[in-house]
Amino acid sequence: MQFSEFSKICEQLEKISGRLDTIDMIASVLPSLDDDELPIFVRFLMGRIFPDWSQEKIGIGPNLVFESVAYVAGNNKSKVVKDINREGDAGTAVENILSKKEQTSFFTENPDLIEVYSDFKYLASIEGNRSQKEKLKVVRKLFANAGPLDGKYLSRLILGELRIGIGEGNIRDAIAKAFDVPAESVEHAYQAANDLGEIAAIAKKGEEELAKIRIELFRPVKMMLAKQGTIADMIEEQGAIAAEYKYDGTRFQFHKSGDLCRIYSRKLEEVTAAIPDIVEVLLKSTEHDIILDGEVIAVDDEGRPLPFQNVLRRFRRKHDVASHMENVRLVPNLFDILYLDGETLIEKTFEERRVLLERNVMSFVAPQIVSDDIKFIEAFYRESLDAGHEGIMIKSLKSAYTPGQRVRQWIKIKPSVDTIDLAVVGAEWGEGKRAHLFGSFILACQDESERLLKISKVATGFSDEALAGIYDIMKDKVISESGKVVRFEPEIVFEIGYAEIQKSTNYEAGYALRFPRFIRFRDDKGIEEIETISSIGERFRAQSEKVR
Amino acid sequence: MLKAAINTDIFKESIDVMAAMVTECRMHISPGGFSTRAVDTANVAMVSLELSAGAFSSFDATESDIGLDINKMKNIVAMMEKDDTLSLDLPEGGHKIEMSFSGYKYSIALLDVNTVRKDPNPPTINLPGKVVISGSVLYNSIKAAALVSDKIAFGIDPEKGIFYMEADGDMDHIYYELPKDDLVSFVPAEARSLFSLDYLKDLGRVMSKSDQVEIHIGMDHPVKFAFSIADGKGNVEYLLAPRIEAD
């Protein structure tokens, strides 16, 4: 498939509003693609370039895109930036600029999806001191061969802004429909393989092939996530349940094969090199080839947990790891097992997995109690808080491990603080002594198709240091600017506290936050983990019930 | 296979010709000499270079294509002394070329030919007007125009019998004309096209060393510059696509 055809499909999909029509349209295209094109097409459609488990990143910011477009169109960069600021949307601006190129060219090459993808792969591989120049060369070539519409989607794809409303659910159902396989089989295989692109190509071969997909070492799967709920409801529904401490740390996934191991963060980024102390103790804790799920916490000299920020600081560290090891002592807590010596365990019940975990891992297994007595579990909850943890997790004993799913089989119980994770999509310049920094931030939640919807602004809760730090990170993610408002590549997640959720017509989401305040930077979380509009609706209803 | 020796000045000139436009190229080696064609990343400019076996002091080669990293070559060329001899040695099917000069012996990894862009097909264009001027006059006019604008028009007024260059900035204007008597050669035809000075500055620097540059132009058409290097034993052509003239 030519990239230009892909652009046309994106354009059509953007015009379709119904979920079923969207799925039909995608399903009608998929069978025409060959095995090499399918994974790329599927990922591109979701606005992703590489598999979810992959560590590859193209590393192209707005600046490099604008410079390349300027070069190809025969404009200077400041004119391009001005056009983008006026338009507000980089994709549309690039489309306009390329439709009015002032520089002619001898030919365009109309690359196919595979050629574009191999250019992206090459971009991800470029490193070293000539890297910016080399990257510029590749991005220029991409835009030189792009028509106006191609340029629109190419720039959005590169900037992580495609968001044409094609989420995982739509793709899953489209794959099922296109290749006549059950959607559950697609979902199941996706949870293990963690790349819907690859799954599309396998689904083409049939349901039996999908059923063969297993978890593989060094190919991280998404973490299973918990919902909010109550101990009483859970016991009523499940009978006996397991309870564990809820750690105020950072989630990780440990993969080990022989003496080789890798540790992945919640965003599935490899962090092995940043935490050699954890690597060392975990390698000693088992002799098996294994994948474990757990949480790392920081502790003080008496072994009491320290706040989450201390852990993050270690996870982010690339240089000078050794000296920070002394400053912050980290301890792993292991609470699940996904893979053991070639066998995928995610379909086993939690009860069965716990037995395997205890039998095969000698240390750092997180304490657990099992009970159907609400009093007993409440006592455990208080004990957890007293020990300095965040609360408890209660888990169904019969549940499978469902990667990437936020499910009712896992419930988090913690003292009620109303906080919400939202994407930072824009900002306004500050005033006074904060005039050279971003002073307030525009926040968004997502709908079921991963479209971002603005819901609030936040301007309080920041220290001067926090604002300066945030500025450093966000300044390279600016896509456009108009007046005092800037727009960002959506990549960063804030945890925001609020007093109440209100209905509102001021924001796209239809809700607004009352008294929003910045709690912390959640750079352990990816943009796909932000709050959905439907769960905000649930929060809104729960809060009105409380009032009554 | 290639076994050859060449004057370092000629080699440097050849690398400069390519470096003005591209960072890598596919070089075709044959018993007749070197040849290559390449296009810049935006498909706006093309270069073709032919260096005959006669440009070398000794030359023995079989047919082969190699991928040359022009950036790397430019750095190595900077190490060479003037009017020295460079020996080139590439075994049959080899992936490294040996370059020896002034006691240095470099062994330089070649690019995988398949990763280098294929030779572009030269477009078929008819450029009716032609003038021949000295490279230094051409380069000076490019530099002069760059002071006020980022683009320059080349044109021929057949009635007046002049070749002219003209540049418009936001505020400023520059005009420069050469009557036919000052030109080495003049083929009149109605012609005017606009070009990006970004490209021309780089090409002009290379052409400034040439006594005679043929300029072929038309109406809103590409421009072709043709000149020789290595005492006529090498030929270069640059093609540059025009800009669209705003009203």
Side-chain angles (χ1 to χ4, degrees), chain A residues 279-295:
Chain A
V279 169
E280 197 191 330
V281 297
L282 286 182
L283 272 177
K284 283 187 198 147
S285 72
T286 178
E287 285 165 357
H288 298 273
D289 291 354
I290 210 160
I291 299 178
L292 300 169
D293 185 1
E295 184 123 349

mmCIF file with all atom_site columns, all heavy atoms in Angstrom, chain A residues 279-295:
data_model
loop_
_atom_site.group_PDB
_atom_site.id
_atom_site.type_symbol
_atom_site.label_atom_id
_atom_site.label_alt_id
_atom_site.label_comp_id
_atom_site.label_asym_id
_atom_site.label_entity_id
_atom_site.label_seq_id
_atom_site.pdbx_PDB_ins_code
_atom_site.Cartn_x
_atom_site.Cartn_y
_atom_site.Cartn_z
_atom_site.occupancy
_atom_site.B_iso_or_equiv
_atom_site.pdbx_formal_charge
_atom_site.auth_seq_id
_atom_site.auth_comp_id
_atom_site.auth_asym_id
_atom_site.auth_atom_id
_atom_site.pdbx_PDB_model_num
ATOM 1   N N   . VAL A 1 279 ? 18.393 -5.315  40.183 1.00 0.00 ? 279 VAL A N   1
ATOM 2   C CA  . VAL A 1 279 ? 18.807 -6.390  39.282 1.00 0.00 ? 279 VAL A CA  1
ATOM 3   C C   . VAL A 1 279 ? 19.545 -7.466  40.068 1.00 0.00 ? 279 VAL A C   1
ATOM 4   O O   . VAL A 1 279 ? 19.241 -8.662  39.962 1.00 0.00 ? 279 VAL A O   1
ATOM 5   C CB  . VAL A 1 279 ? 19.731 -5.838  38.169 1.00 0.00 ? 279 VAL A CB  1
ATOM 6   C CG1 . VAL A 1 279 ? 20.385 -6.984  37.395 1.00 0.00 ? 279 VAL A CG1 1
ATOM 7   C CG2 . VAL A 1 279 ? 18.953 -4.925  37.225 1.00 0.00 ? 279 VAL A CG2 1
ATOM 8   N N   . GLU A 1 280 ? 20.468 -7.025  40.879 1.00 0.00 ? 280 GLU A N   1
ATOM 9   C CA  . GLU A 1 280 ? 21.307 -7.971  41.602 1.00 0.00 ? 280 GLU A CA  1
ATOM 10  C C   . GLU A 1 280 ? 20.482 -8.860  42.536 1.00 0.00 ? 280 GLU A C   1
ATOM 11  O O   . GLU A 1 280 ? 20.620 -10.089 42.525 1.00 0.00 ? 280 GLU A O   1
ATOM 12  C CB  . GLU A 1 280 ? 22.348 -7.186  42.413 1.00 0.00 ? 280 GLU A CB  1
ATOM 13  C CG  . GLU A 1 280 ? 23.503 -8.048  42.873 1.00 0.00 ? 280 GLU A CG  1
ATOM 14  C CD  . GLU A 1 280 ? 24.374 -7.317  43.880 1.00 0.00 ? 280 GLU A CD  1
ATOM 15  O OE1 . GLU A 1 280 ? 24.460 -6.070  43.799 1.00 0.00 ? 280 GLU A OE1 1
ATOM 16  O OE2 . GLU A 1 280 ? 24.953 -7.994  44.744 1.00 0.00 ? 280 GLU A OE2 1
ATOM 17  N N   . VAL A 1 281 ? 19.600 -8.248  43.314 1.00 0.00 ? 281 VAL A N   1
ATOM 18  C CA  . VAL A 1 281 ? 18.854 -9.066  44.285 1.00 0.00 ? 281 VAL A CA  1
ATOM 19  C C   . VAL A 1 281 ? 17.813 -9.952  43.597 1.00 0.00 ? 281 VAL A C   1
ATOM 20  O O   . VAL A 1 281 ? 17.563 -11.075 44.043 1.00 0.00 ? 281 VAL A O   1
ATOM 21  C CB  . VAL A 1 281 ? 18.199 -8.212  45.396 1.00 0.00 ? 281 VAL A CB  1
ATOM 22  C CG1 . VAL A 1 281 ? 19.258 -7.505  46.217 1.00 0.00 ? 281 VAL A CG1 1
ATOM 23  C CG2 . VAL A 1 281 ? 17.193 -7.220  44.838 1.00 0.00 ? 281 VAL A CG2 1
ATOM 24  N N   . LEU A 1 282 ? 17.243 -9.455  42.510 1.00 0.00 ? 282 LEU A N   1
ATOM 25  C CA  . LEU A 1 282 ? 16.225 -10.271 41.836 1.00 0.00 ? 282 LEU A CA  1
ATOM 26  C C   . LEU A 1 282 ? 16.857 -11.460 41.119 1.00 0.00 ? 282 LEU A C   1
ATOM 27  O O   . LEU A 1 282 ? 16.293 -12.543 41.084 1.00 0.00 ? 282 LEU A O   1
ATOM 28  C CB  . LEU A 1 282 ? 15.404 -9.419  40.858 1.00 0.00 ? 282 LEU A CB  1
ATOM 29  C CG  . LEU A 1 282 ? 14.394 -8.461  41.500 1.00 0.00 ? 282 LEU A CG  1
ATOM 30  C CD1 . LEU A 1 282 ? 13.617 -7.704  40.435 1.00 0.00 ? 282 LEU A CD1 1
ATOM 31  C CD2 . LEU A 1 282 ? 13.427 -9.198  42.424 1.00 0.00 ? 282 LEU A CD2 1
ATOM 32  N N   . LEU A 1 283 ? 18.035 -11.233 40.545 1.00 0.00 ? 283 LEU A N   1
ATOM 33  C CA  . LEU A 1 283 ? 18.720 -12.353 39.878 1.00 0.00 ? 283 LEU A CA  1
ATOM 34  C C   . LEU A 1 283 ? 18.977 -13.479 40.861 1.00 0.00 ? 283 LEU A C   1
ATOM 35  O O   . LEU A 1 283 ? 18.905 -14.653 40.519 1.00 0.00 ? 283 LEU A O   1
ATOM 36  C CB  . LEU A 1 283 ? 20.045 -11.875 39.268 1.00 0.00 ? 283 LEU A CB  1
ATOM 37  C CG  . LEU A 1 283 ? 19.992 -11.323 37.847 1.00 0.00 ? 283 LEU A CG  1
ATOM 38  C CD1 . LEU A 1 283 ? 21.368 -10.825 37.422 1.00 0.00 ? 283 LEU A CD1 1
ATOM 39  C CD2 . LEU A 1 283 ? 19.475 -12.358 36.857 1.00 0.00 ? 283 LEU A CD2 1
ATOM 40  N N   . LYS A 1 284 ? 19.263 -13.097 42.103 1.00 0.00 ? 284 LYS A N   1
ATOM 41  C CA  . LYS A 1 284 ? 19.557 -14.120 43.119 1.00 0.00 ? 284 LYS A CA  1
ATOM 42  C C   . LYS A 1 284 ? 18.297 -14.766 43.676 1.00 0.00 ? 284 LYS A C   1
ATOM 43  O O   . LYS A 1 284 ? 18.377 -15.768 44.368 1.00 0.00 ? 284 LYS A O   1
ATOM 44  C CB  . LYS A 1 284 ? 20.326 -13.462 44.279 1.00 0.00 ? 284 LYS A CB  1
ATOM 45  C CG  . LYS A 1 284 ? 21.785 -13.200 43.953 1.00 0.00 ? 284 LYS A CG  1
ATOM 46  C CD  . LYS A 1 284 ? 22.491 -12.717 45.207 1.00 0.00 ? 284 LYS A CD  1
ATOM 47  C CE  . LYS A 1 284 ? 23.809 -12.040 44.863 1.00 0.00 ? 284 LYS A CE  1
ATOM 48  N NZ  . LYS A 1 284 ? 24.120 -10.960 45.785 1.00 0.00 ? 284 LYS A NZ  1
ATOM 49  N N   . SER A 1 285 ? 17.144 -14.141 43.415 1.00 0.00 ? 285 SER A N   1
ATOM 50  C CA  . SER A 1 285 ? 15.939 -14.627 44.086 1.00 0.00 ? 285 SER A CA  1
ATOM 51  C C   . SER A 1 285 ? 15.314 -15.845 43.409 1.00 0.00 ? 285 SER A C   1
ATOM 52  O O   . SER A 1 285 ? 14.445 -16.486 43.972 1.00 0.00 ? 285 SER A O   1
ATOM 53  C CB  . SER A 1 285 ? 14.903 -13.495 44.189 1.00 0.00 ? 285 SER A CB  1
ATOM 54  O OG  . SER A 1 285 ? 14.364 -13.254 42.903 1.00 0.00 ? 285 SER A OG  1
ATOM 55  N N   . THR A 1 286 ? 15.750 -16.142 42.200 1.00 0.00 ? 286 THR A N   1
ATOM 56  C CA  . THR A 1 286 ? 15.186 -17.321 41.520 1.00 0.00 ? 286 THR A CA  1
ATOM 57  C C   . THR A 1 286 ? 16.195 -17.912 40.540 1.00 0.00 ? 286 THR A C   1
ATOM 58  O O   . THR A 1 286 ? 17.020 -17.198 39.976 1.00 0.00 ? 286 THR A O   1
ATOM 59  C CB  . THR A 1 286 ? 13.882 -16.962 40.772 1.00 0.00 ? 286 THR A CB  1
ATOM 60  O OG1 . THR A 1 286 ? 13.410 -18.131 40.099 1.00 0.00 ? 286 THR A OG1 1
ATOM 61  C CG2 . THR A 1 286 ? 14.080 -15.847 39.762 1.00 0.00 ? 286 THR A CG2 1
ATOM 62  N N   . GLU A 1 287 ? 16.067 -19.224 40.333 1.00 0.00 ? 287 GLU A N   1
ATOM 63  C CA  . GLU A 1 287 ? 16.947 -19.875 39.356 1.00 0.00 ? 287 GLU A CA  1
ATOM 64  C C   . GLU A 1 287 ? 16.239 -20.094 38.033 1.00 0.00 ? 287 GLU A C   1
ATOM 65  O O   . GLU A 1 287 ? 16.815 -20.630 37.104 1.00 0.00 ? 287 GLU A O   1
ATOM 66  C CB  . GLU A 1 287 ? 17.418 -21.229 39.924 1.00 0.00 ? 287 GLU A CB  1
ATOM 67  C CG  . GLU A 1 287 ? 18.467 -21.039 40.992 1.00 0.00 ? 287 GLU A CG  1
ATOM 68  C CD  . GLU A 1 287 ? 18.691 -22.295 41.818 1.00 0.00 ? 287 GLU A CD  1
ATOM 69  O OE1 . GLU A 1 287 ? 17.992 -23.302 41.594 1.00 0.00 ? 287 GLU A OE1 1
ATOM 70  O OE2 . GLU A 1 287 ? 19.572 -22.253 42.678 1.00 0.00 ? 287 GLU A OE2 1
ATOM 71  N N   . HIS A 1 288 ? 14.984 -19.688 37.987 1.00 0.00 ? 288 HIS A N   1
ATOM 72  C CA  . HIS A 1 288 ? 14.167 -20.024 36.813 1.00 0.00 ? 288 HIS A CA  1
ATOM 73  C C   . HIS A 1 288 ? 14.196 -18.923 35.756 1.00 0.00 ? 288 HIS A C   1
ATOM 74  O O   . HIS A 1 288 ? 14.527 -17.780 36.033 1.00 0.00 ? 288 HIS A O   1
ATOM 75  C CB  . HIS A 1 288 ? 12.728 -20.271 37.245 1.00 0.00 ? 288 HIS A CB  1
ATOM 76  C CG  . HIS A 1 288 ? 12.610 -21.431 38.177 1.00 0.00 ? 288 HIS A CG  1
ATOM 77  N ND1 . HIS A 1 288 ? 12.464 -22.723 37.738 1.00 0.00 ? 288 HIS A ND1 1
ATOM 78  C CD2 . HIS A 1 288 ? 12.646 -21.497 39.525 1.00 0.00 ? 288 HIS A CD2 1
ATOM 79  C CE1 . HIS A 1 288 ? 12.399 -23.522 38.782 1.00 0.00 ? 288 HIS A CE1 1
ATOM 80  N NE2 . HIS A 1 288 ? 12.515 -22.811 39.873 1.00 0.00 ? 288 HIS A NE2 1
ATOM 81  N N   . ASP A 1 289 ? 13.814 -19.326 34.535 1.00 0.00 ? 289 ASP A N   1
ATOM 82  C CA  . ASP A 1 289 ? 13.487 -18.327 33.513 1.00 0.00 ? 289 ASP A CA  1
ATOM 83  C C   . ASP A 1 289 ? 12.082 -17.858 33.851 1.00 0.00 ? 289 ASP A C   1
ATOM 84  O O   . ASP A 1 289 ? 11.168 -18.680 33.986 1.00 0.00 ? 289 ASP A O   1
ATOM 85  C CB  . ASP A 1 289 ? 13.509 -18.954 32.115 1.00 0.00 ? 289 ASP A CB  1
ATOM 86  C CG  . ASP A 1 289 ? 14.922 -19.320 31.689 1.00 0.00 ? 289 ASP A CG  1
ATOM 87  O OD1 . ASP A 1 289 ? 15.859 -18.967 32.437 1.00 0.00 ? 289 ASP A OD1 1
ATOM 88  O OD2 . ASP A 1 289 ? 15.079 -19.970 30.643 1.00 0.00 ? 289 ASP A OD2 1
ATOM 89  N N   . ILE A 1 290 ? 11.917 -16.542 33.958 1.00 0.00 ? 290 ILE A N   1
ATOM 90  C CA  . ILE A 1 290 ? 10.705 -16.099 34.642 1.00 0.00 ? 290 ILE A CA  1
ATOM 91  C C   . ILE A 1 290 ? 10.296 -14.686 34.211 1.00 0.00 ? 290 ILE A C   1
ATOM 92  O O   . ILE A 1 290 ? 11.142 -13.905 33.763 1.00 0.00 ? 290 ILE A O   1
ATOM 93  C CB  . ILE A 1 290 ? 10.986 -16.134 36.178 1.00 0.00 ? 290 ILE A CB  1
ATOM 94  C CG1 . ILE A 1 290 ? 9.719  -16.409 36.982 1.00 0.00 ? 290 ILE A CG1 1
ATOM 95  C CG2 . ILE A 1 290 ? 11.649 -14.862 36.668 1.00 0.00 ? 290 ILE A CG2 1
ATOM 96  C CD1 . ILE A 1 290 ? 10.030 -16.919 38.385 1.00 0.00 ? 290 ILE A CD1 1
ATOM 97  N N   . ILE A 1 291 ? 9.007  -14.401 34.305 1.00 0.00 ? 291 ILE A N   1
ATOM 98  C CA  . ILE A 1 291 ? 8.541  -13.004 34.217 1.00 0.00 ? 291 ILE A CA  1
ATOM 99  C C   . ILE A 1 291 ? 7.718  -12.713 35.473 1.00 0.00 ? 291 ILE A C   1
ATOM 100 O O   . ILE A 1 291 ? 6.777  -13.458 35.784 1.00 0.00 ? 291 ILE A O   1
ATOM 101 C CB  . ILE A 1 291 ? 7.683  -12.742 32.965 1.00 0.00 ? 291 ILE A CB  1
ATOM 102 C CG1 . ILE A 1 291 ? 8.502  -13.019 31.689 1.00 0.00 ? 291 ILE A CG1 1
ATOM 103 C CG2 . ILE A 1 291 ? 7.177  -11.299 32.951 1.00 0.00 ? 291 ILE A CG2 1
ATOM 104 C CD1 . ILE A 1 291 ? 7.715  -12.839 30.392 1.00 0.00 ? 291 ILE A CD1 1
ATOM 105 N N   . LEU A 1 292 ? 8.094  -11.680 36.191 1.00 0.00 ? 292 LEU A N   1
ATOM 106 C CA  . LEU A 1 292 ? 7.432  -11.339 37.448 1.00 0.00 ? 292 LEU A CA  1
ATOM 107 C C   . LEU A 1 292 ? 6.881  -9.917  37.383 1.00 0.00 ? 292 LEU A C   1
ATOM 108 O O   . LEU A 1 292 ? 7.416  -9.059  36.688 1.00 0.00 ? 292 LEU A O   1
ATOM 109 C CB  . LEU A 1 292 ? 8.435  -11.436 38.607 1.00 0.00 ? 292 LEU A CB  1
ATOM 110 C CG  . LEU A 1 292 ? 9.081  -12.804 38.833 1.00 0.00 ? 292 LEU A CG  1
ATOM 111 C CD1 . LEU A 1 292 ? 10.229 -12.701 39.825 1.00 0.00 ? 292 LEU A CD1 1
ATOM 112 C CD2 . LEU A 1 292 ? 8.051  -13.818 39.302 1.00 0.00 ? 292 LEU A CD2 1
ATOM 113 N N   . ASP A 1 293 ? 5.799  -9.715  38.140 1.00 0.00 ? 293 ASP A N   1
ATOM 114 C CA  . ASP A 1 293 ? 5.187  -8.389  38.233 1.00 0.00 ? 293 ASP A CA  1
ATOM 115 C C   . ASP A 1 293 ? 5.370  -7.916  39.668 1.00 0.00 ? 293 ASP A C   1
ATOM 116 O O   . ASP A 1 293 ? 5.184  -8.699  40.603 1.00 0.00 ? 293 ASP A O   1
ATOM 117 C CB  . ASP A 1 293 ? 3.691  -8.508  37.889 1.00 0.00 ? 293 ASP A CB  1
ATOM 118 C CG  . ASP A 1 293 ? 2.984  -7.158  37.841 1.00 0.00 ? 293 ASP A CG  1
ATOM 119 O OD1 . ASP A 1 293 ? 3.647  -6.125  38.062 1.00 0.00 ? 293 ASP A OD1 1
ATOM 120 O OD2 . ASP A 1 293 ? 1.767  -7.144  37.588 1.00 0.00 ? 293 ASP A OD2 1
ATOM 121 N N   . GLY A 1 294 ? 5.749  -6.667  39.836 1.00 0.00 ? 294 GLY A N   1
ATOM 122 C CA  . GLY A 1 294 ? 5.940  -6.197  41.199 1.00 0.00 ? 294 GLY A CA  1
ATOM 123 C C   . GLY A 1 294 ? 6.023  -4.693  41.261 1.00 0.00 ? 294 GLY A C   1
ATOM 124 O O   . GLY A 1 294 ? 5.766  -3.995  40.288 1.00 0.00 ? 294 GLY A O   1
ATOM 125 N N   . GLU A 1 295 ? 6.353  -4.216  42.435 1.00 0.00 ? 295 GLU A N   1
ATOM 126 C CA  . GLU A 1 295 ? 6.462  -2.779  42.644 1.00 0.00 ? 295 GLU A CA  1
ATOM 127 C C   . GLU A 1 295 ? 7.739  -2.520  43.442 1.00 0.00 ? 295 GLU A C   1
ATOM 128 O O   . GLU A 1 295 ? 8.015  -3.208  44.418 1.00 0.00 ? 295 GLU A O   1
ATOM 129 C CB  . GLU A 1 295 ? 5.220  -2.291  43.414 1.00 0.00 ? 295 GLU A CB  1
ATOM 130 C CG  . GLU A 1 295 ? 5.179  -0.805  43.597 1.00 0.00 ? 295 GLU A CG  1
ATOM 131 C CD  . GLU A 1 295 ? 3.921  -0.130  43.042 1.00 0.00 ? 295 GLU A CD  1
ATOM 132 O OE1 . GLU A 1 295 ? 3.141  -0.773  42.311 1.00 0.00 ? 295 GLU A OE1 1
ATOM 133 O OE2 . GLU A 1 295 ? 3.734  1.052   43.351 1.00 0.00 ? 295 GLU A OE2 1
#
